[in-house]
Amino acid sequence: MAKEVIRQYLPLLEEEGRGAAAGDDTGRDRHYLPELPDEDPYQAGHRTCAGCGPAIEYRWVLKAAGQDTVVAGPTGCMYVANSTYLCTPYTVPWAHTPIASGGSFTAGVAAGYEALIRKGRHPGPYPNIIVMAGDGSAADIGLGSISGALYRNHDALFICYDNECYANTGIQVSPTTPYAGMTTFTPFGKAIPEGKSLPPKNLAKMMAEGHPHCYVATTTVGYPVDLMNKTRKGLNHRGAAFMHCFTPCQKGWVYQTSMTVEIGRRVVEAGLFPVWEYDPADRTYHYFHPPVQRPVTDYLAMQGRFGHMLPEHIASIQVQANRNWQDIGMDVPAELREGEDPAKHLRLRDETYSMPLNRGVGA
Ligand SMILES: Cc1ncc(C[n+]2csc(CCOP(=O)(O)OP(=O)(O)O)c2C)c(N)n1
Ligand code: SF4
Ligand SMILES: [Mg+2]
């Protein structure tokens, strides 16, 4: 007789302190909450660059998932840097997949565990099954295989760690590279002074709209507790879940190594990466409203990949950000409206912007 497949439930972490230090009497930044799990299934000793956003995301996802987890990694930085011969930083089972087959491989793992448990050949419970694919894989080369697995509703969490480029092969353009983002395939010059001329693919919305029965969420390394809770919600969801995580690439984006988490918050505060959840039960989007709204220059000017931008390019990104604010139900302050006018800007390298020294109080 077939055995029952028992699912795990991962409790959610306390989210107080999300977005700012509000509510903390001591005025400390409370993003790192004391009740976080001690375990780290993604250990030190990997070989990613210092300040690597995807490595931070891997660590937090696996901290949230815990030891009863199986991970797949399509080709990309997080495969190559993390797995030299006979050595990986994982304390959980991990497998590499070709870049195009993260979805189909993971679907097979999920179906395999279901069958083994039903036949009594795996003691259970059903493990947390996660694939973490780069944007080149999830939004481009492997999009079809992930979409197929989502549509068939395999019980697994499909994550795109988005560093907005094909990093591992030398920082080439990907569909999620933002407008004006410089990569080795989108250099700026006389013919195309902005560098990349197309807007980024809206991967997460595509996944939510195209697979309405799936749990879908966006998050960034700027919000660790949010990232971990969405990991747990995705894993608790019975069926397929997709999480799109913004993960800065220190090497490809050219910024100070210590600013990865800060950039993960600023992209949200600049209106350029809305953070939301899509609930398949009522088919609605739930948007996070950040307590701070910044001009896009506060985000762009921190990164060398945007250093060539001219006033009209900055204004055009501010137009996009203002559309995003409206889409998530927030007002657009007058200062940000004015930023839609190229005459209000200098070249990006000459603009003044706020550089954070301490995130302790307020924003
Ligand atoms: C079919 C195929 N085409 C190209 C490659 C070469 N390749 C290896 S890693 C990589 C970059 C992947 O980019 P992404 O998925 O965004 O991950 P990242 O390196 O940015 O972490 C590419 C193009 C490959 N391995 N397989
Ligand atoms: S190139 Fe970017 S994504 Fe790759 S290891 Fe370095 S910082 Fe991480
Ligand atoms: Mg990438």
Side-chain angles (χ1 to χ4, degrees), residues 194-349:
E194 68 268 47
K196 189 186 181 193
S197 52
L198 290 174
K201 186 183 278 188
N202 195 338
L203 178 67
K205 276 277 163 90
M206 238 171 94
M207 292 310 203
E209 294 293 322
H211 313 84
H213 53 283
C214 297
Y215 170 83
V216 180
T218 69
T219 189
T220 89
V221 294
Y223 300 90
V225 181
D226 182 69
L227 192 161
M228 286 189 264
N229 274 341
K230 284 174 176 164
T231 299
R232 289 188 167 186
K233 284 184 188 176
L235 290 168
N236 289 342
H237 174 73
R238 177 74 196 273
F242 181 79
M243 186 166 90
H244 184 190
C245 184
F246 175 92
T247 53
C249 166
Q250 188 273 336
K251 179 182 166 200
W253 300 10
V254 192
Y255 61 83
Q256 283 181 25
T257 310
S258 60
M259 288 295 158
T260 304
V261 170
E262 178 66 30
I263 289 176
R265 266 190 255 176
R266 284 200 172 202
V267 73
V268 178
E269 294 171 348
L272 292 172
F273 191 91
V275 166
W276 49 262
E277 264 180 313
Y278 169 80
D279 182 353
D282 57 9
R283 300 203 171 178
T284 51
Y285 292 90
H286 303 274
Y287 295 105
F288 169 56
H289 288 177
V292 174
Q293 289 175 281
R294 299 173 175 279
V296 293
T297 42
D298 274 3
Y299 166 72
L300 301 171
M302 290 179 76
Q303 303 168 57
R305 64 176 171 156
F306 296 119
H308 57 284
M309 287 175 73
L310 301 174
E312 57 270 32
H313 307 143
I314 303 170
S316 133
I317 292 203
Q318 190 65 62
V319 169
Q320 185 52 53
N322 291 351
R323 275 198 204 115
N324 289 343
W325 289 126
Q326 286 175 302
D327 286 350
I328 68 170
M330 288 184 75
D331 292 334
V332 182
E335 181 203 356
L336 302 188
R337 275 270 173 250
E338 283 172 19
E340 296 185 6
D341 179 0
K344 299 283 180 197
H345 295 288
L346 305 168
R347 295 178 304 178
L348 188 67
R349 63 172 181 265

Side-chain angles (χ1 to χ4, degrees), residues 12-67:
L12 299 189
L13 300 158
E14 175 58 56
E15 284 200 64
E16 192 189 341
R18 176 181 168 176
D24 183 346
D25 296 340
T26 64
R28 286 176 298 118
D29 187 327
R30 297 191 63 201
H31 284 276
Y32 297 91
L33 298 176
E35 66 268 30
L36 292 183
D38 288 335
E39 59 187 333
D40 264 322
Y42 180 72
Q43 290 276 319
H46 52 79
R47 292 174 175 80
T48 65
C49 307
C52 171
I56 294 172
E57 181 260 0
Y58 260 57
R59 184 174 175 210
W60 288 337
V61 163
L62 290 181
K63 205 179 230 321
Q67 285 297 335

Side-chain angles (χ1 to χ4, degrees), residues 54 76-77 133-137 161-168 172 174 176 247:
C77 267
D135 46 298
S137 173
Y161 72 86
D162 189 0
N163 55 11
E164 300 185 341
C165 61
Y166 282 91
N168 186 245
Q172 289 92 19
S174 90
T176 59
T247 53

